[in-house]
Every structure is written in structure tokens, then in C-alpha cells.
Amino acid sequence: MKYMGSFPSTRLRRNRRNDWTRRLVQENALSVNDLIWPIFIREGKNIKEPIDSMPGVFRYSLDNIHELVKRAIKKKIPMITLFPKKPQIKKNSKGSEALNKNNLVCRALRLIKKKYKKIGIMCDVALDPYTDHGHDGIIKKGIVENDQTIKILVKQSILQAKMGCDVIAPSDMMDGRIGQIRKELDKKGFQHVQILSYAVKYASHFYGPFRDAVGSKKLLKGDKKDYQMDFRNSREAIREVALDIKEGADFVMVKPGMPYLDVIKTIKDNFKIPVFAYQVSGEYSLIKNAINNKTVTEDVIIESLVSFKRAGASPIVTYFADEVAEKLS
Ligand code: PBG
């Protein structure tokens, strides 16, 4: 390769010799602006309930989320994302609770939006917290039906926008939903509401702890391989993103994160759209358990997050957002 130089006139260690020179040649850095903090919410009063499979992560009742939102604002975390855990009785085959304007997410949105202006809120669009079979859409003849599901997702999106959601985040992987959601948002006067498409979402085994957190794990029948991507594929991701950009996505996401850094880079190299990464629950728990066991030190957290920046992603949805923001400030 040209311009590479050669030893001994070239010594790469010279640029690594002191802290100041290392800082001068640093190619990537993590800032608090890169963080999106997922928060699990549930019914009840004065509850902060540990999630067994995610040490250090809790589910909060709505009266307890003020403290979290204030903390996020104080640390300048730009955005939070809300995930509800529904009691079993509120679940059915159609996920109708998703369209109830007094459901947990809607109440949380109203509560937060009324009091706090300086933080963005993102909400998932998908039916899995609300269905008694744990799938992201409605089931016909044994598979998740695409076009009927989209009709419900469009309604769910409009409802969340009405309640003050800033970023609508379809995580369902139905074909064509971004376009229909965008069209309806625009029609109803929500031109300013952004869409983050979970465009490249793999059928991953790293979601286990999350499904535990939202209570869909035991319910889930089968797997999600007929709508989420096969982890053996990466070129297909380019087609997913191309379609979603055409349909009006403001940002796209690659999920999970660390095992898919190559995919993040592929998307970044092919498109000029902000690429979000999701360091998912299974990644979080692997790292957290290893820290708790003293297998590794907590320095691996920042190292793991910088890997996303190197690959070309920012921001990053991570359950470490709160503790990392503390370290960065
Ligand atoms: C639901 C959804 C999932 C996650 C975010 N939104 C799980 C799934 O698709 O089964 C996973 C997040 C995580 O594991 O942290 N559509």
C-alpha cells in the first residue's frame, strides 16, 4: 500500500507514547449525545422492581419515573425510550391494548410531556407487549399477517404521536409499514414527528432478557424468523434500508449491536442517513454479569460503546446509558 512508510523510519508507537498525543490522534469518541436510554415501565404505585435476567435494570411504576427523567435531563441524555410490561389479563390475540389511549405508554407519554420539555421520547411500534402469543403482529393461518398488522401499527403510531411521542419506532419488521405510517402521520398533522425504522432487525437470541422484562418470553409461540432477518445475511440489510428511506424513515437502526458491527458499517458505507445501533438486552446482561463476576472490569462498557462509533453508528440505544452518562460528565 502507498504512503505506508516502513520501519525503522516509521514507528507507529511514537504517536502512542503520551496521553496527550494519544488524544490528538484519537479517531472516535463517545459523548452523552450518543446515548438513548431504554426505560421499562409497569402498572402500580411506588414500584422499582428488579428484572432477574438484567442485573441493575428495573421496571418502574409511573410515579417513580420522574426521578429518572430528571436525571436523564440533568445528564443531558438526548432521548429515552419506553417499554411497557403488561399484566397478562390485558393481553389478547389482537393486542388491542396497544390502541387504548389510557394504556401504560400513553399515560407515561402524557405525564412526561406535560412536565419535561428538554428530552425526546421514543416509543416502539409493535404489538408484542400486548399480544397473548408474544408476536409483533396479528396471526392468520399460523403466521404474522403483514398488511392487517400494518393497519393496527398505523393506529398505534397516530395514538402515540397524539400523546406527544417525538420519535415513532416501528420494531415489527412488517414490509411497507414505514410508508403507511409516514403518510398517516402527515395526514393527521404530525409532519414533525420523526420515524426511526428498526430497518435491520435480526431474529436474534440476544433478545431473551428483554422478552423476560416485558413479560412476553413465556408466551412467545415459535420464533420470529418469518419477519425478522436471518443472522446469516448482510446484503439483505441494504435492501431493507433502501426501502425504508424511500418510504420516509428519518433514521434507521441495526439491531442487535455488537455481533452486527459489520452490518452497521455496510449501512453507513451505502447510505447517508443516521444509523442507530441497539446494544440489546442479551449483550447488556453478558457484559454486566461478566463485570459482576469480576471476569472483566467495567471499562469494557465504554469500549463496547465506542465499537459502535468506529463502525459508524450514533446514537446507541443502551441499558448502560445512565451509568455511562455519569462517567462522561
Ligand atoms: C419488540 C422489541 C424487542 C426488542 C425491542 N423491541 C424484542 C423482540 O423483537 O422480540 C429487543 C430489545 C432488547 O433485547 O434489548 N418488537
Side-chain angles (χ1 to χ4, degrees):
M1 222 197 279
K2 250 184 171 176
Y3 310 122
M4 282 293 278
S6 61
F7 181 81
S9 54
T10 299
R11 290 178 187 264
L12 291 178
R13 287 184 57 191
R14 272 199 290 267
N15 289 356
R16 297 180 197 138
R17 198 176 149 93
N18 298 296
D19 174 62
W20 58 265
T21 179
R22 288 194 292 272
R23 281 188 284 129
L24 279 176
V25 300
Q26 179 177 293
E27 295 176 33
N28 292 286
L30 185 71
S31 101
V32 71
N33 296 333
D34 294 313
L35 304 172
I36 299 172
W37 185 14
I39 295 175
F40 292 106
I41 52 179
R42 51 156 293 161
E43 301 284 356
K45 279 213 165 69
N46 197 19
I47 296 172
K48 178 182 175 185
E49 174 186 42
I51 297 164
D52 294 341
S53 52
M54 300 180 76
V57 180
F58 301 84
R59 294 184 201 95
Y60 297 88
S61 54
L62 295 188
D63 53 342
N64 274 348
I65 60 175
H66 292 276
E67 155 207 353
L68 305 185
V69 178
K70 280 187 206 150
R71 200 154 82 223
I73 293 172
K74 194 164 162 235
K75 294 180 184 170
K76 294 211 159 66
I77 294 177
M79 185 159 76
I80 56 172
T81 175
L82 301 172
F83 292 110
K85 183 184 184 214
K86 288 284 157 191
Q88 212 96 320
I89 39 158
K90 294 216 169 145
K91 302 194 187 211
N92 61 28
S93 65
K94 290 198 164 127
S96 355
E97 180 67 7
L99 303 182
N100 171 2
K101 69 177 191 317
N102 287 318
N103 74 23
L104 199 53
V105 168
C106 290
R107 276 182 283 139
L109 279 167
R110 291 199 295 261
L111 191 91
I112 300 169
K113 275 290 149 186
K114 205 164 89 191
K115 274 193 105 165
Y116 311 96
K117 308 285 174 218
K118 289 192 176 152
I119 192 157
I121 310 181
M122 176 164 94
C123 291
D124 246 42
V125 169
L127 299 182
D128 57 314
Y130 308 104
T131 52
D132 56 11
H133 44 69
H135 281 285
D136 293 28
I138 54 170
I139 296 183
K140 290 244 165 81
K141 294 192 186 128
I143 66 159
V144 173
E145 210 284 330
N146 196 84
D147 299 15
Q148 295 300 318
T149 295
I150 292 182
K151 290 194 175 134
I152 306 175
L153 300 179
V154 168
K155 289 185 185 154
Q156 187 184 19
S157 305
I158 298 298
L159 178 62
Q160 291 179 353
K162 274 187 189 155
M163 297 296 146
C165 180
D166 300 290
V167 179
I168 299 288
S171 69
D172 55 287
M173 291 296 280
M174 297 303 113
D175 285 322
R177 85 283 203 218
I178 299 298
Q180 295 199 32
I181 290 171
R182 183 72 271 164
K183 203 166 120 203
E184 198 62 20
L185 283 171
D186 289 354
K187 209 165 109 192
K188 296 261 155 69
F190 298 110
Q191 291 88 345
H192 57 283
V193 171
Q194 291 155 285
I195 298 179
L196 163 72
S197 173
Y198 282 70
V200 186
K201 179 169 179 180
Y202 286 90
S204 170
H205 301 95
F206 284 95
Y207 306 148
F210 174 94
R211 291 178 189 167
D212 188 22
V214 299
S216 68
K217 194 176 200 162
K218 290 198 193 92
L219 299 175
L220 184 62
K221 294 195 182 79
D223 54 47
K224 300 189 178 183
K225 288 181 189 164
D226 71 313
Y227 47 107
Q228 299 179 347
M229 279 179 60
D230 185 338
F231 60 77
R232 293 159 191 86
N233 298 353
S234 68
R235 281 184 292 258
E236 187 185 344
I238 299 175
R239 299 183 75 194
E240 284 285 1
V241 170
L243 284 167
D244 287 354
I245 292 176
K246 243 190 179 153
E247 290 176 31
D250 297 284
F251 337 91
V252 294
M253 174 114 88
V254 174
K255 176 182 174 197
M258 266 170 76
Y260 296 85
L261 294 177
D262 59 317
V263 180
I264 293 174
K265 180 149 170 46
T266 299
I267 299 305
K268 198 67 194 178
D269 290 345
N270 280 281
F271 301 96
K272 304 280 177 242
I273 190 166
V275 181
F276 289 31
Y278 198 141
Q279 184 177 52
V280 301
S281 56
E283 299 175 63
Y284 168 85
S285 297
L286 285 176
I287 295 173
K288 194 68 173 184
N289 283 324
I291 294 169
N292 290 348
N293 293 339
K294 300 201 163 40
T295 311
V296 291
T297 63
E298 61 176 18
D299 305 304
V300 298
I301 299 172
I302 300 243
E303 187 176 333
S304 73
L305 296 175
V306 170
S307 77
F308 293 107
K309 303 273 313 207
R310 226 173 39 236
S314 74
I316 305 147
V317 182
T318 173
Y319 302 96
F320 289 117
D322 186 27
E323 58 179 287
V324 166
E326 184 71 43
K327 280 204 190 88
L328 294 174
S329 62

